[in-house]
Amino acid sequence: MSTPLQHSHLSALEKLKKHRQLLSVDEYVTGILAHDRAILAQAITLIESTHPDHYLLGQEVVEACLAHSGKSLRIGITGVPGVGKSTFIEAFGIHVIEQQHKIAVLAIDPSSQRTGGSILGDKTRMEELSHHPSAFIRPTPSASTLGGVARKTRETIILCEAAGFDVIVIETVGVGQSETEVKSMVDFFLLLMLAGAGDELQGIKRGIMEMADTIAITKADSGNEQAAKTARQNYKNALHLFPANENGWIPQVEISSSLEKQGIEKIWEIAERYRNEMSVKGWFTENRRRQALSWMEQTINLQLQHRFHSNPKVQAELARIKEKVANGELGPFKAAELLLSIV
Amino acid sequence: MSTPLQHSHLSALEKLKKHRQLLSVDEYVTGILAHDRAILAQAITLIESTHPDHYLLGQEVVEACLAHSGKSLRIGITGVPGVGKSTFIEAFGIHVIEQQHKIAVLAIDPSSQRTGGSILGDKTRMEELSHHPSAFIRPTPSASTLGGVARKTRETIILCEAAGFDVIVIETVGVGQSETEVKSMVDFFLLLMLAGAGDELQGIKRGIMEMADTIAITKADSGNEQAAKTARQNYKNALHLFPANENGWIPQVEISSSLEKQGIEKIWEIAERYRNEMSVKGWFTENRRRQALSWMEQTINLQLQHRFHSNPKVQAELARIKEKVANGELGPFKAAELLLSIV
């Protein structure tokens, strides 16, 4: 015999399946809180929608889920193409699930339009994980709107947490602008690096190494073990020269083989230790408070800029003034004043 | 016999000296272009002034000098208190002057209110340099206005260049927010570090090492030589692990002793080599174009934020909404929308 809650939830799901029609906010929220993956997926689609009604409905669902969110460890994982992100996340995810967790993997690929989307959608990338009932894999589409990808990803995190996923992985390619954004929405930032010195680093954007809470040297297998160990020592030495983190955490360097399932357990242990240490210090909560405020401020700033640049008078003058500034004919501050005076 | 230009310049200077009265834009510009240090100093004071008339006059002088500016090598020098910035800049400045250059040193100290201003004003810090006719030393006061220090510093660079200074040093303490700003106004960024591992780095802000075009290990004297050499090797190894600079430059690491005047010449050679290589590649000019446009955009953005936060309705709501966001009661995007909807 079903409870009224289950009943209403089931009928909502039926509606969704049969007619692909929209549910009410309550129906989405009830479904998500009942850990219903189909309804979770539909709610994420609302967030991603460019249709105003769908989008607004999605926003209400997010706000309603907010009180049920936050109880996860949010992990950012980045690395250049070829570093073995997919196989790492597959092995890592399976291990995490074996520790009785539920994992959601959200993949951001700002470069998908250029590269053909190797990071994206493609669930065959993570064969075992994608079929596991305790895993949920979802690509985040490249959004064209202001701060769109970041916002949608953050909102998707909320929904996944409300749906009972207690480990959230945000996957991104370490070559673009998105790492700073990812850093500012996760608790723990893991950088995957290949063994061997120098050349393979060319693809990593400057500044990313200093963001890492842990570096994992991947592909420490198939005769590559010694190179990986050398790389670990080199990175340890390098990180030692970096200034200390504000939170007192010393970034760790580990070697791993997704193929041979080596080092994966260790990296999860480090992530858990990080959470425990930061929680004891109060830093875990403080970091999330700061992140939330920072997202609010950034959203306001982006929107103010958007309004400014949408002004037809600004649009009429901007190119000409920029040209003068670039050529040194007009000082940048004077130019800014000129443009600001016309709105 | 004096030319009309010299004549008008001399009488302007007389006016300035006798009555401390304001000159006309033309008089300031003529004086600056004639390399008159008293008039240069007065014009900088106008830029720094909070008096609207003086400030606007200063802006006109800056705009008029713009066409005569840009022909210098702009060098940012940073390091924690105790690293020996003053003695380094003294030795470096004297060496640069011996190579037939004229050097202006502009010191920014955002922390002067807290620390008592050790970096500031105090010309006795650089005894020899401050009395040299080819040197001009000027502290930049902590400005309370938005982006104020950065703006005033950039404008002061313009005036110093127009006054014939062809090496501009921007000095800052490597512990605050100002390094990113300094990086974005200079051609070459030099980080001073002490020898010895680890502890002394605690004071350097994360991210600064990756900004450096060159690291100089200071105080390689008085028995500290071996530690300095070890530090150099460690930093070289660490920098090797960093991703490449977009401009292809590989950051150098040198040891120096301001006391024994060792390594100073080498560091100047590196700075000159940097300029030459970057000029050949077109990067020198491109970097300055980007910097100017970036300053324009930043100024616009700061001003838009300032207008928003000055709105009484925003001020009335902001604290309450921030509190809700920090507590997780309200999502950051929703909060931003709420605030944006009231202006």
Side-chain angles (χ1 to χ4, degrees):
Chain A
M1 199 186 140
S2 64
T3 67
L5 179 82
Q6 281 172 324
H7 180 72
S8 121
H9 165 48
L10 283 176
S11 66
L13 189 58
E14 289 298 309
K15 265 164 75 179
L16 195 64
K17 280 186 179 160
K18 280 194 182 146
H19 310 288
R20 284 224 161 251
Q21 69 185 80
L22 295 180
L23 306 180
S24 68
V25 172
D26 276 354
E27 285 170 325
Y28 281 112
V29 173
T30 306
I32 289 169
L33 295 182
H35 299 187
D36 186 297
R37 305 160 62 98
I39 289 182
L40 169 64
Q42 280 294 315
I44 296 172
T45 303
L46 293 179
I47 294 174
E48 294 168 353
S49 175
T50 52
H51 187 303
D53 291 348
H54 295 190
Y55 175 79
L56 286 173
L57 182 57
Q59 294 301 305
E60 289 188 61
V61 175
V62 170
E63 286 300 312
C65 286
L66 205 56
H68 306 278
S69 71
K71 292 174 201 72
S72 80
L73 180 62
R74 304 168 182 168
I75 302 176
I77 298 184
T78 197
V80 294
V83 77
K85 274 187 302 300
S86 302
T87 46
F88 179 88
I89 294 173
E90 166 107 341
F92 184 76
I94 296 296
H95 176 74
V96 166
I97 288 171
E98 285 167 1
Q99 314 307 307
Q100 312 306 320
H101 294 287
K102 291 180 70 183
I103 188 168
V105 179
L106 312 176
I108 300 178
D109 184 8
S111 62
S112 63
Q113 284 154 336
R114 284 184 288 119
T115 63
S118 63
I119 201 180
L120 280 186
D122 190 4
K123 289 196 181 178
T124 58
R125 285 195 308 137
M126 301 177 196
E127 189 75 39
E128 193 181 345
L129 196 62
S130 64
H131 291 105
H132 201 292
S134 292
F136 180 80
I137 299 181
R138 177 94 182 194
T140 299
S142 301
S144 54
T145 53
L146 278 166
V149 171
R151 173 171 184 160
K152 288 174 205 307
T153 304
R154 264 192 70 107
E155 290 174 341
T156 303
I157 292 173
I158 304 294
L159 298 187
C160 290
E161 287 174 345
F165 293 95
D166 63 345
V167 177
I168 314 282
V169 166
I170 317 293
E171 175 190 3
T172 182
V173 178
V175 292
Q177 290 297 324
S178 56
E179 287 66 34
T180 313
E181 288 185 340
V182 171
K183 173 80 178 172
S184 70
M185 63 177 81
V186 299
D187 307 308
F188 182 81
F189 196 76
L190 176 64
L191 175 62
L192 304 185
M193 296 290 257
L194 286 164
D199 286 352
E200 74 280 5
L201 290 178
Q202 305 301 319
I204 279 272
K205 197 166 149 271
R206 286 176 73 81
I208 291 183
M209 247 176 76
E210 293 206 21
M211 288 183 199
D213 296 307
T214 287
I215 292 176
I217 314 288
T218 55
K219 302 188 182 177
D221 47 46
S222 315
N224 203 26
E225 294 86 347
Q226 194 50 52
K229 282 182 186 167
T230 306
R232 175 172 59 176
Q233 195 54 50
N234 288 341
Y235 283 113
K236 276 193 174 179
N237 293 345
L239 290 176
H240 177 66
L241 292 172
F242 279 10
N245 277 303
E246 189 188 354
N247 60 14
W249 175 256
I250 296 164
Q252 304 293 297
V253 187
E254 285 303 326
I255 61 178
S256 72
S257 162
S258 309
L259 205 61
E260 299 174 2
K261 309 273 188 289
Q262 295 295 312
I264 305 295
E265 187 182 337
K266 181 83 183 168
I267 290 161
W268 172 244
E269 274 175 28
I270 292 171
E272 287 216 297
R273 180 154 60 80
Y274 180 89
R275 171 168 50 185
N276 294 339
E277 287 184 15
M278 294 304 117
S279 296
V280 169
K281 288 184 176 185
W283 180 260
F284 195 85
T285 308
E286 175 59 21
N287 185 43
R288 287 200 174 174
R289 285 172 65 98
R290 289 191 194 179
Q291 286 179 338
L293 288 170
S294 164
W295 282 105
M296 183 189 88
E297 281 157 20
Q298 280 182 46
T299 304
I300 290 171
N301 295 345
L302 282 172
Q303 193 57 40
L304 291 172
Q305 288 169 39
H306 178 66
R307 288 181 185 177
F308 177 77
H309 287 283
S310 302
N311 184 306
K313 291 183 208 157
V314 170
Q315 288 177 338
E317 291 294 323
L318 189 63
R320 195 177 57 82
I321 288 180
K322 278 175 95 165
E323 185 63 25
K324 283 193 175 182
V325 170
N327 293 338
E329 291 169 50
L330 182 63
F333 304 107
K334 183 81 180 173
E337 277 168 18
L338 281 174
L339 285 166
L340 286 162
S341 71
I342 61 180
V343 295
Chain B
M1 197 185 139
S2 63
T3 66
L5 179 81
Q6 281 171 322
H7 179 72
S8 116
H9 164 49
L10 284 175
S11 65
L13 189 57
E14 290 299 307
K15 266 164 73 180
L16 194 65
K17 281 185 178 161
K18 279 193 183 149
H19 311 288
R20 283 225 162 251
Q21 68 185 82
L22 295 180
L23 306 179
S24 69
V25 173
D26 276 356
E27 286 170 326
Y28 281 112
V29 174
T30 306
I32 288 169
L33 295 181
H35 300 187
D36 187 297
R37 305 160 62 98
I39 289 182
L40 170 63
Q42 280 293 315
I44 296 172
T45 303
L46 292 179
I47 294 175
E48 294 168 352
S49 174
T50 52
H51 188 301
D53 291 348
H54 295 191
Y55 176 78
L56 287 173
L57 182 57
Q59 294 301 304
E60 289 188 59
V61 175
V62 170
E63 286 300 311
C65 285
L66 205 56
H68 305 279
S69 72
K71 292 174 202 72
S72 80
L73 180 62
R74 302 168 183 167
I75 302 176
I77 298 184
T78 197
V80 294
V83 77
K85 275 187 301 300
S86 302
T87 48
F88 178 87
I89 293 172
E90 166 106 340
F92 184 76
I94 296 296
H95 176 74
V96 166
I97 288 171
E98 286 168 359
Q99 314 306 307
Q100 312 305 319
H101 294 286
K102 291 180 71 185
I103 189 169
V105 178
L106 313 176
I108 300 178
D109 184 8
S111 62
S112 63
Q113 284 155 335
R114 283 185 288 121
T115 64
S118 62
I119 200 181
L120 280 187
D122 190 5
K123 289 194 180 178
T124 58
R125 284 195 308 137
M126 301 176 196
E127 189 75 39
E128 194 182 346
L129 196 61
S130 64
H131 292 104
H132 201 292
S134 291
F136 181 80
I137 299 180
R138 178 93 181 195
T140 299
S142 302
S144 53
T145 53
L146 279 164
V149 171
R151 174 171 185 162
K152 289 175 205 305
T153 305
R154 264 191 70 106
E155 290 174 341
T156 303
I157 292 173
I158 304 294
L159 298 187
C160 289
E161 288 174 344
F165 293 95
D166 63 345
V167 177
I168 314 281
V169 166
I170 316 293
E171 176 190 3
T172 184
V173 178
V175 292
Q177 290 297 324
S178 56
E179 286 67 35
T180 312
E181 289 185 340
V182 171
K183 172 80 178 173
S184 69
M185 64 176 82
V186 300
D187 306 309
F188 182 81
F189 195 77
L190 176 65
L191 175 61
L192 304 185
M193 296 289 256
L194 286 164
D199 287 350
E200 74 280 8
L201 291 178
Q202 306 301 321
I204 278 273
K205 199 169 148 266
R206 286 176 72 82
I208 291 183
M209 248 176 76
E210 292 207 20
M211 287 184 200
D213 296 307
T214 286
I215 292 176
I217 314 289
T218 56
K219 301 188 182 177
D221 47 46
S222 314
N224 203 25
E225 295 85 347
Q226 193 50 51
K229 283 182 186 167
T230 306
R232 175 172 59 178
Q233 195 54 48
N234 288 342
Y235 285 112
K236 276 194 175 180
N237 293 344
L239 291 176
H240 178 66
L241 292 172
F242 279 9
N245 276 303
E246 189 188 354
N247 60 14
W249 175 258
I250 296 164
Q252 305 292 297
V253 188
E254 285 302 326
I255 61 177
S256 73
S257 161
S258 308
L259 207 60
E260 298 173 1
K261 309 274 188 290
Q262 296 295 313
I264 305 294
E265 187 182 338
K266 180 83 183 169
I267 290 161
W268 172 244
E269 276 175 27
I270 292 171
E272 287 217 295
R273 179 156 60 80
Y274 180 89
R275 171 168 50 187
N276 294 338
E277 288 184 15
M278 294 304 116
S279 297
V280 169
K281 288 184 176 183
W283 180 260
F284 195 85
T285 309
E286 174 59 20
N287 185 44
R288 287 201 175 173
R289 285 172 62 99
R290 290 191 192 179
Q291 286 179 338
L293 288 171
S294 163
W295 282 105
M296 182 189 88
E297 282 157 20
Q298 279 182 48
T299 306
I300 291 171
N301 296 344
L302 281 173
Q303 194 56 42
L304 291 172
Q305 289 169 40
H306 178 66
R307 288 182 185 176
F308 177 78
H309 288 282
S310 303
N311 184 306
K313 291 182 208 157
V314 170
Q315 288 177 338
E317 292 294 323
L318 190 63
R320 195 178 56 84
I321 288 181
K322 278 175 95 164
E323 185 62 26
K324 282 194 174 183
V325 170
N327 293 339
E329 291 169 49
L330 182 62
F333 304 107
K334 182 81 180 172
E337 277 168 18
L338 281 174
L339 285 166
L340 285 162
S341 70
I342 61 180
V343 295

